[in-house]
mmCIF file of all heavy atoms in Angstrom:
data_model
loop_
_atom_site.group_PDB
_atom_site.id
_atom_site.type_symbol
_atom_site.label_atom_id
_atom_site.label_comp_id
_atom_site.label_asym_id
_atom_site.label_seq_id
_atom_site.Cartn_x
_atom_site.Cartn_y
_atom_site.Cartn_z
ATOM 1 N N GLU A 1 200.692 203.072 -10.234
ATOM 2 C CA GLU A 1 200.679 203.840 -8.986
ATOM 3 C C GLU A 1 200.685 202.896 -7.791
ATOM 4 O O GLU A 1 201.377 203.132 -6.793
ATOM 5 C CB GLU A 1 199.436 204.747 -8.941
ATOM 6 C CG GLU A 1 199.517 205.972 -9.837
ATOM 7 C CD GLU A 1 198.331 206.900 -9.633
ATOM 8 O OE1 GLU A 1 197.575 206.691 -8.656
ATOM 9 O OE2 GLU A 1 198.157 207.823 -10.447
ATOM 10 N N GLU A 2 199.920 201.828 -7.895
ATOM 11 C CA GLU A 2 199.878 200.831 -6.824
ATOM 12 C C GLU A 2 201.218 200.120 -6.694
ATOM 13 O O GLU A 2 201.709 199.882 -5.584
ATOM 14 C CB GLU A 2 198.765 199.822 -7.109
ATOM 15 C CG GLU A 2 198.581 198.787 -6.017
ATOM 16 C CD GLU A 2 197.420 197.832 -6.290
ATOM 17 O OE1 GLU A 2 196.595 198.153 -7.168
ATOM 18 O OE2 GLU A 2 197.355 196.782 -5.620
ATOM 19 N N VAL A 3 201.817 199.780 -7.832
ATOM 20 C CA VAL A 3 203.107 199.083 -7.812
ATOM 21 C C VAL A 3 204.183 199.968 -7.184
ATOM 22 O O VAL A 3 204.968 199.510 -6.336
ATOM 23 C CB VAL A 3 203.519 198.668 -9.239
ATOM 24 C CG1 VAL A 3 204.957 198.156 -9.257
ATOM 25 C CG2 VAL A 3 202.574 197.607 -9.779
ATOM 26 N N LYS A 4 204.221 201.234 -7.581
ATOM 27 C CA LYS A 4 205.226 202.149 -7.032
ATOM 28 C C LYS A 4 205.037 202.372 -5.541
ATOM 29 O O LYS A 4 206.017 202.535 -4.801
ATOM 30 C CB LYS A 4 205.173 203.486 -7.777
ATOM 31 C CG LYS A 4 205.727 203.432 -9.192
ATOM 32 C CD LYS A 4 205.679 204.813 -9.844
ATOM 33 C CE LYS A 4 206.306 204.796 -11.225
ATOM 34 N NZ LYS A 4 206.259 206.134 -11.870
ATOM 35 N N ALA A 5 203.792 202.388 -5.099
ATOM 36 C CA ALA A 5 203.532 202.566 -3.669
ATOM 37 C C ALA A 5 204.084 201.391 -2.871
ATOM 38 O O ALA A 5 204.527 201.551 -1.728
ATOM 39 C CB ALA A 5 202.034 202.716 -3.419
ATOM 40 N N GLY A 6 204.079 200.201 -3.464
ATOM 41 C CA GLY A 6 204.581 199.019 -2.774
ATOM 42 C C GLY A 6 206.076 198.847 -2.874
ATOM 43 O O GLY A 6 206.673 198.126 -2.071
ATOM 44 N N SER A 7 206.708 199.508 -3.849
ATOM 45 C CA SER A 7 208.160 199.385 -4.027
ATOM 46 C C SER A 7 208.710 200.719 -4.521
ATOM 47 O O SER A 7 209.036 200.880 -5.702
ATOM 48 C CB SER A 7 208.486 198.266 -5.029
ATOM 49 O OG SER A 7 209.879 198.091 -5.153
ATOM 50 N N PRO A 8 208.824 201.707 -3.636
ATOM 51 C CA PRO A 8 209.287 203.038 -4.039
ATOM 52 C C PRO A 8 210.744 203.029 -4.484
ATOM 53 O O PRO A 8 211.508 202.121 -4.155
ATOM 54 C CB PRO A 8 209.109 203.877 -2.762
ATOM 55 C CG PRO A 8 209.118 202.882 -1.653
ATOM 56 C CD PRO A 8 208.513 201.635 -2.201
ATOM 57 N N VAL A 9 211.135 204.053 -5.219
ATOM 58 C CA VAL A 9 212.490 204.138 -5.768
ATOM 59 C C VAL A 9 213.532 204.146 -4.655
ATOM 60 O O VAL A 9 214.591 203.517 -4.771
ATOM 61 C CB VAL A 9 212.617 205.389 -6.653
ATOM 62 C CG1 VAL A 9 214.057 205.551 -7.131
ATOM 63 C CG2 VAL A 9 211.679 205.293 -7.855
ATOM 64 N N TRP A 10 213.255 204.851 -3.541
ATOM 65 C CA TRP A 10 214.242 204.922 -2.469
ATOM 66 C C TRP A 10 214.556 203.552 -1.895
ATOM 67 O O TRP A 10 215.687 203.278 -1.466
ATOM 68 C CB TRP A 10 213.780 205.867 -1.358
ATOM 69 C CG TRP A 10 212.545 205.433 -0.605
ATOM 70 C CD1 TRP A 10 211.266 205.813 -0.826
ATOM 71 C CD2 TRP A 10 212.510 204.500 0.505
ATOM 72 N NE1 TRP A 10 210.410 205.195 0.059
ATOM 73 C CE2 TRP A 10 211.144 204.384 0.892
ATOM 74 C CE3 TRP A 10 213.474 203.780 1.195
ATOM 75 C CZ2 TRP A 10 210.745 203.553 1.932
ATOM 76 C CZ3 TRP A 10 213.071 202.948 2.237
ATOM 77 C CH2 TRP A 10 211.731 202.851 2.606
ATOM 78 N N TRP A 11 213.560 202.655 -1.896
ATOM 79 C CA TRP A 11 213.780 201.304 -1.397
ATOM 80 C C TRP A 11 214.747 200.536 -2.298
ATOM 81 O O TRP A 11 215.613 199.801 -1.818
ATOM 82 C CB TRP A 11 212.446 200.581 -1.290
ATOM 83 C CG TRP A 11 212.531 199.144 -0.873
ATOM 84 C CD1 TRP A 11 212.225 198.050 -1.624
ATOM 85 C CD2 TRP A 11 212.947 198.630 0.402
ATOM 86 N NE1 TRP A 11 212.418 196.897 -0.918
ATOM 87 C CE2 TRP A 11 212.857 197.214 0.341
ATOM 88 C CE3 TRP A 11 213.381 199.226 1.583
ATOM 89 C CZ2 TRP A 11 213.200 196.391 1.405
ATOM 90 C CZ3 TRP A 11 213.714 198.396 2.654
ATOM 91 C CH2 TRP A 11 213.628 197.001 2.563
ATOM 92 N N SER A 12 214.636 200.750 -3.604
ATOM 93 C CA SER A 12 215.535 200.093 -4.547
ATOM 94 C C SER A 12 216.968 200.567 -4.345
ATOM 95 O O SER A 12 217.920 199.775 -4.397
ATOM 96 C CB SER A 12 215.086 200.370 -5.986
ATOM 97 O OG SER A 12 213.809 199.838 -6.231
ATOM 98 N N TRP A 13 217.151 201.858 -4.121
ATOM 99 C CA TRP A 13 218.491 202.390 -3.873
ATOM 100 C C TRP A 13 219.058 201.851 -2.566
ATOM 101 O O TRP A 13 220.263 201.562 -2.461
ATOM 102 C CB TRP A 13 218.465 203.917 -3.854
ATOM 103 C CG TRP A 13 218.409 204.516 -5.219
ATOM 104 C CD1 TRP A 13 217.342 205.105 -5.829
ATOM 105 C CD2 TRP A 13 219.475 204.564 -6.178
ATOM 106 N NE1 TRP A 13 217.667 205.513 -7.096
ATOM 107 C CE2 TRP A 13 218.981 205.206 -7.334
ATOM 108 C CE3 TRP A 13 220.795 204.133 -6.173
ATOM 109 C CZ2 TRP A 13 219.759 205.417 -8.465
ATOM 110 C CZ3 TRP A 13 221.586 204.349 -7.298
ATOM 111 C CH2 TRP A 13 221.058 204.988 -8.434
ATOM 112 N N LEU A 14 218.209 201.691 -1.564
ATOM 113 C CA LEU A 14 218.652 201.146 -0.287
ATOM 114 C C LEU A 14 219.118 199.701 -0.453
ATOM 115 O O LEU A 14 220.147 199.296 0.109
ATOM 116 C CB LEU A 14 217.524 201.231 0.743
ATOM 117 C CG LEU A 14 217.866 200.774 2.175
ATOM 118 C CD1 LEU A 14 218.967 201.648 2.768
ATOM 119 C CD2 LEU A 14 216.620 200.812 3.060
ATOM 120 N N LEU A 15 218.374 198.905 -1.227
ATOM 121 C CA LEU A 15 218.754 197.519 -1.476
ATOM 122 C C LEU A 15 220.062 197.437 -2.263
ATOM 123 O O LEU A 15 220.872 196.534 -2.046
ATOM 124 C CB LEU A 15 217.642 196.793 -2.239
ATOM 125 C CG LEU A 15 216.306 196.628 -1.510
ATOM 126 C CD1 LEU A 15 215.332 195.860 -2.393
ATOM 127 C CD2 LEU A 15 216.488 195.921 -0.184
ATOM 128 N N LEU A 16 220.272 198.395 -3.167
ATOM 129 C CA LEU A 16 221.511 198.423 -3.938
ATOM 130 C C LEU A 16 222.697 198.740 -3.032
ATOM 131 O O LEU A 16 223.779 198.160 -3.177
ATOM 132 C CB LEU A 16 221.415 199.463 -5.061
ATOM 133 C CG LEU A 16 222.655 199.617 -5.960
ATOM 134 C CD1 LEU A 16 222.937 198.317 -6.702
ATOM 135 C CD2 LEU A 16 222.459 200.761 -6.947
ATOM 136 N N ALA A 17 222.474 199.633 -2.066
ATOM 137 C CA ALA A 17 223.552 200.041 -1.156
ATOM 138 C C ALA A 17 223.832 198.983 -0.097
ATOM 139 O O ALA A 17 224.962 198.897 0.412
ATOM 140 C CB ALA A 17 223.190 201.364 -0.483
ATOM 141 N N LEU A 18 222.829 198.172 0.231
ATOM 142 C CA LEU A 18 222.979 197.165 1.288
ATOM 143 C C LEU A 18 222.622 195.778 0.737
ATOM 144 O O LEU A 18 221.497 195.295 0.911
ATOM 145 C CB LEU A 18 222.083 197.502 2.478
ATOM 146 C CG LEU A 18 222.335 198.851 3.169
ATOM 147 C CD1 LEU A 18 221.262 199.122 4.208
ATOM 148 C CD2 LEU A 18 223.725 198.867 3.803
ATOM 149 N N PRO A 19 223.559 195.121 0.051
ATOM 150 C CA PRO A 19 223.277 193.797 -0.536
ATOM 151 C C PRO A 19 222.714 192.775 0.444
ATOM 152 O O PRO A 19 221.818 192.007 0.062
ATOM 153 C CB PRO A 19 224.649 193.367 -1.085
ATOM 154 C CG PRO A 19 225.345 194.665 -1.388
ATOM 155 C CD PRO A 19 224.908 195.604 -0.297
ATOM 156 N N PRO A 20 223.175 192.720 1.714
ATOM 157 C CA PRO A 20 222.565 191.738 2.633
ATOM 158 C C PRO A 20 221.063 191.983 2.829
ATOM 159 O O PRO A 20 220.289 191.032 2.934
ATOM 160 C CB PRO A 20 223.343 191.958 3.949
ATOM 161 C CG PRO A 20 224.657 192.507 3.516
ATOM 162 C CD PRO A 20 224.337 193.385 2.342
ATOM 163 N N LEU A 21 220.674 193.263 2.869
ATOM 164 C CA LEU A 21 219.259 193.591 2.987
ATOM 165 C C LEU A 21 218.511 193.143 1.729
ATOM 166 O O LEU A 21 217.373 192.654 1.808
ATOM 167 C CB LEU A 21 219.077 195.087 3.213
ATOM 168 C CG LEU A 21 217.623 195.591 3.328
ATOM 169 C CD1 LEU A 21 216.922 194.929 4.513
ATOM 170 C CD2 LEU A 21 217.591 197.114 3.464
ATOM 171 N N ALA A 22 219.156 193.304 0.570
ATOM 172 C CA ALA A 22 218.538 192.887 -0.687
ATOM 173 C C ALA A 22 218.306 191.377 -0.698
ATOM 174 O O ALA A 22 217.256 190.892 -1.135
ATOM 175 C CB ALA A 22 219.416 193.290 -1.873
ATOM 176 N N VAL A 23 219.282 190.627 -0.180
ATOM 177 C CA VAL A 23 219.153 189.169 -0.120
ATOM 178 C C VAL A 23 218.017 188.776 0.829
ATOM 179 O O VAL A 23 217.185 187.912 0.512
ATOM 180 C CB VAL A 23 220.474 188.524 0.337
ATOM 181 C CG1 VAL A 23 220.272 187.028 0.581
ATOM 182 C CG2 VAL A 23 221.558 188.738 -0.711
ATOM 183 N N ALA A 24 217.965 189.426 1.997
ATOM 184 C CA ALA A 24 216.910 189.122 2.972
ATOM 185 C C ALA A 24 215.537 189.464 2.420
ATOM 186 O O ALA A 24 214.578 188.694 2.570
ATOM 187 C CB ALA A 24 217.167 189.891 4.265
ATOM 188 N N SER A 25 215.430 190.628 1.763
ATOM 189 C CA SER A 25 214.161 191.048 1.184
ATOM 190 C C SER A 25 213.719 190.094 0.085
ATOM 191 O O SER A 25 212.542 189.704 0.002
ATOM 192 C CB SER A 25 214.280 192.469 0.635
ATOM 193 O OG SER A 25 213.091 192.867 -0.010
ATOM 194 N N GLY A 26 214.676 189.714 -0.762
ATOM 195 C CA GLY A 26 214.355 188.780 -1.832
ATOM 196 C C GLY A 26 213.939 187.417 -1.304
ATOM 197 O O GLY A 26 213.022 186.789 -1.832
ATOM 198 N N GLY A 27 214.598 186.970 -0.240
ATOM 199 C CA GLY A 27 214.257 185.687 0.361
ATOM 200 C C GLY A 27 212.854 185.679 0.947
ATOM 201 O O GLY A 27 212.100 184.714 0.785
ATOM 202 N N TYR A 28 212.503 186.777 1.620
ATOM 203 C CA TYR A 28 211.162 186.879 2.187
ATOM 204 C C TYR A 28 210.110 186.892 1.083
ATOM 205 O O TYR A 28 209.080 186.210 1.173
ATOM 206 C CB TYR A 28 211.042 188.145 3.026
ATOM 207 C CG TYR A 28 209.616 188.453 3.448
ATOM 208 C CD1 TYR A 28 209.009 187.749 4.490
ATOM 209 C CD2 TYR A 28 208.874 189.423 2.770
ATOM 210 C CE1 TYR A 28 207.691 188.009 4.853
ATOM 211 C CE2 TYR A 28 207.557 189.689 3.128
ATOM 212 C CZ TYR A 28 206.977 188.985 4.171
ATOM 213 O OH TYR A 28 205.670 189.246 4.519
ATOM 214 N N SER A 29 210.368 187.675 0.024
ATOM 215 C CA SER A 29 209.421 187.772 -1.080
ATOM 216 C C SER A 29 209.227 186.414 -1.749
ATOM 217 O O SER A 29 208.101 186.015 -2.078
ATOM 218 C CB SER A 29 209.915 188.799 -2.110
ATOM 219 O OG SER A 29 209.052 188.847 -3.233
ATOM 220 N N TYR A 30 210.333 185.685 -1.928
ATOM 221 C CA TYR A 30 210.245 184.367 -2.566
ATOM 222 C C TYR A 30 209.426 183.408 -1.713
ATOM 223 O O TYR A 30 208.546 182.699 -2.222
ATOM 224 C CB TYR A 30 211.647 183.796 -2.792
ATOM 225 C CG TYR A 30 211.651 182.466 -3.499
ATOM 226 C CD1 TYR A 30 211.764 182.406 -4.890
ATOM 227 C CD2 TYR A 30 211.533 181.268 -2.805
ATOM 228 C CE1 TYR A 30 211.757 181.196 -5.559
ATOM 229 C CE2 TYR A 30 211.509 180.049 -3.459
ATOM 230 C CZ TYR A 30 211.628 180.021 -4.827
ATOM 231 O OH TYR A 30 211.615 178.817 -5.488
ATOM 232 N N ALA A 31 209.720 183.392 -0.390
ATOM 233 C CA ALA A 31 209.016 182.475 0.504
ATOM 234 C C ALA A 31 207.521 182.786 0.538
ATOM 235 O O ALA A 31 206.677 181.872 0.516
ATOM 236 C CB ALA A 31 209.615 182.562 1.906
ATOM 237 N N ARG A 32 207.180 184.068 0.578
ATOM 238 C CA ARG A 32 205.779 184.471 0.618
ATOM 239 C C ARG A 32 205.070 184.060 -0.673
ATOM 240 O O ARG A 32 203.959 183.517 -0.644
ATOM 241 C CB ARG A 32 205.662 185.977 0.825
ATOM 242 C CG ARG A 32 204.230 186.498 0.872
ATOM 243 C CD ARG A 32 204.193 188.006 1.062
ATOM 244 N NE ARG A 32 202.821 188.490 1.127
ATOM 245 C CZ ARG A 32 202.080 188.761 0.063
ATOM 246 N NH1 ARG A 32 202.582 188.589 -1.150
ATOM 247 N NH2 ARG A 32 200.838 189.200 0.192
ATOM 248 N N SER A 33 205.721 184.327 -1.803
ATOM 249 C CA SER A 33 205.121 183.998 -3.095
ATOM 250 C C SER A 33 204.959 182.488 -3.246
ATOM 251 O O SER A 33 203.951 182.002 -3.775
ATOM 252 C CB SER A 33 205.979 184.548 -4.235
ATOM 253 O OG SER A 33 206.041 185.955 -4.188
ATOM 254 N N TRP A 34 205.941 181.737 -2.777
ATOM 255 C CA TRP A 34 205.870 180.277 -2.870
ATOM 256 C C TRP A 34 204.714 179.749 -2.028
ATOM 257 O O TRP A 34 203.981 178.853 -2.460
ATOM 258 C CB TRP A 34 207.180 179.651 -2.407
ATOM 259 C CG TRP A 34 207.182 178.156 -2.507
ATOM 260 C CD1 TRP A 34 207.546 177.396 -3.585
ATOM 261 C CD2 TRP A 34 206.759 177.229 -1.488
ATOM 262 N NE1 TRP A 34 207.382 176.058 -3.305
ATOM 263 C CE2 TRP A 34 206.901 175.919 -2.026
ATOM 264 C CE3 TRP A 34 206.288 177.372 -0.188
ATOM 265 C CZ2 TRP A 34 206.588 174.786 -1.300
ATOM 266 C CZ3 TRP A 34 205.965 176.233 0.540
ATOM 267 C CH2 TRP A 34 206.121 174.949 -0.009
ATOM 268 N N TYR A 35 204.546 180.315 -0.843
ATOM 269 C CA TYR A 35 203.464 179.864 0.042
ATOM 270 C C TYR A 35 202.100 180.137 -0.587
ATOM 271 O O TYR A 35 201.212 179.268 -0.573
ATOM 272 C CB TYR A 35 203.569 180.575 1.389
ATOM 273 C CG TYR A 35 202.426 180.244 2.328
ATOM 274 C CD1 TYR A 35 202.392 179.030 3.011
ATOM 275 C CD2 TYR A 35 201.375 181.146 2.514
ATOM 276 C CE1 TYR A 35 201.328 178.711 3.863
ATOM 277 C CE2 TYR A 35 200.318 180.844 3.364
ATOM 278 C CZ TYR A 35 200.297 179.624 4.028
ATOM 279 O OH TYR A 35 199.248 179.325 4.855
ATOM 280 N N ILE A 36 201.924 181.326 -1.163
ATOM 281 C CA ILE A 36 200.652 181.667 -1.800
ATOM 282 C C ILE A 36 200.397 180.754 -2.993
ATOM 283 O O ILE A 36 199.273 180.279 -3.208
ATOM 284 C CB ILE A 36 200.650 183.149 -2.236
ATOM 285 C CG1 ILE A 36 200.692 184.056 -0.998
ATOM 286 C CG2 ILE A 36 199.425 183.468 -3.078
ATOM 287 C CD1 ILE A 36 200.880 185.518 -1.317
ATOM 288 N N LYS A 37 201.440 180.501 -3.777
ATOM 289 C CA LYS A 37 201.332 179.593 -4.919
ATOM 290 C C LYS A 37 200.909 178.197 -4.456
ATOM 291 O O LYS A 37 200.005 177.578 -5.039
ATOM 292 C CB LYS A 37 202.669 179.522 -5.651
ATOM 293 C CG LYS A 37 202.769 178.464 -6.747
ATOM 294 C CD LYS A 37 204.141 178.530 -7.391
ATOM 295 C CE LYS A 37 204.312 177.445 -8.453
ATOM 296 N NZ LYS A 37 204.395 176.093 -7.842
ATOM 297 N N ARG A 38 201.550 177.703 -3.414
ATOM 298 C CA ARG A 38 201.245 176.375 -2.893
ATOM 299 C C ARG A 38 199.815 176.314 -2.371
ATOM 300 O O ARG A 38 199.088 175.335 -2.612
ATOM 301 C CB ARG A 38 202.228 176.049 -1.764
ATOM 302 C CG ARG A 38 202.035 174.684 -1.132
ATOM 303 C CD ARG A 38 202.376 173.573 -2.077
ATOM 304 N NE ARG A 38 202.335 172.289 -1.404
ATOM 305 C CZ ARG A 38 202.377 171.115 -2.028
ATOM 306 N NH1 ARG A 38 202.475 171.078 -3.346
ATOM 307 N NH2 ARG A 38 202.339 169.988 -1.352
ATOM 308 N N GLN A 39 199.402 177.352 -1.674
ATOM 309 C CA GLN A 39 198.044 177.406 -1.128
ATOM 310 C C GLN A 39 197.013 177.379 -2.245
ATOM 311 O O GLN A 39 196.001 176.671 -2.164
ATOM 312 C CB GLN A 39 197.891 178.673 -0.281
ATOM 313 C CG GLN A 39 196.671 178.710 0.609
ATOM 314 C CD GLN A 39 196.654 179.938 1.485
ATOM 315 O OE1 GLN A 39 196.912 181.059 1.032
ATOM 316 N NE2 GLN A 39 196.355 179.757 2.760
ATOM 317 N N TRP A 40 197.254 178.141 -3.305
ATOM 318 C CA TRP A 40 196.336 178.175 -4.442
ATOM 319 C C TRP A 40 196.222 176.792 -5.082
ATOM 320 O O TRP A 40 195.125 176.314 -5.377
ATOM 321 C CB TRP A 40 196.833 179.191 -5.461
ATOM 322 C CG TRP A 40 196.119 179.152 -6.772
ATOM 323 C CD1 TRP A 40 196.385 178.343 -7.840
ATOM 324 C CD2 TRP A 40 194.992 179.942 -7.174
ATOM 325 N NE1 TRP A 40 195.520 178.581 -8.871
ATOM 326 C CE2 TRP A 40 194.649 179.553 -8.490
ATOM 327 C CE3 TRP A 40 194.251 180.943 -6.546
ATOM 328 C CZ2 TRP A 40 193.602 180.138 -9.181
ATOM 329 C CZ3 TRP A 40 193.207 181.510 -7.251
ATOM 330 C CH2 TRP A 40 192.888 181.119 -8.543
ATOM 331 N N GLU A 41 197.363 176.143 -5.307
ATOM 332 C CA GLU A 41 197.360 174.838 -5.953
ATOM 333 C C GLU A 41 196.622 173.803 -5.113
ATOM 334 O O GLU A 41 195.917 172.944 -5.644
ATOM 335 C CB GLU A 41 198.804 174.395 -6.216
ATOM 336 C CG GLU A 41 199.500 175.227 -7.282
ATOM 337 C CD GLU A 41 200.967 174.905 -7.408
ATOM 338 O OE1 GLU A 41 201.517 174.259 -6.474
ATOM 339 O OE2 GLU A 41 201.581 175.300 -8.412
#
């Protein structure tokens, strides 16, 4: 339930319809995850 609230189905369809948005979203997610990983280490 928590996972779906953070990434609803409509958002996935929007990313599929707009590949540039999917790339931007993926880039932001990667950068954020990398920063948290680096901070933890």
Side-chain angles (χ1 to χ4, degrees):
E1 285 186 11
E2 183 177 345
V3 170
K4 288 182 176 180
S7 183
V9 175
W10 65 264
W11 176 247
S12 297
W13 282 106
L14 184 62
L15 295 181
L16 180 62
L18 300 173
L21 179 61
V23 172
S25 176
Y28 170 77
S29 176
Y30 182 92
R32 180 181 181 276
S33 297
W34 181 88
Y35 176 77
I36 294 172
K37 172 179 177 290
R38 181 68 173 169
Q39 194 176 45
W40 170 275
E41 291 173 344

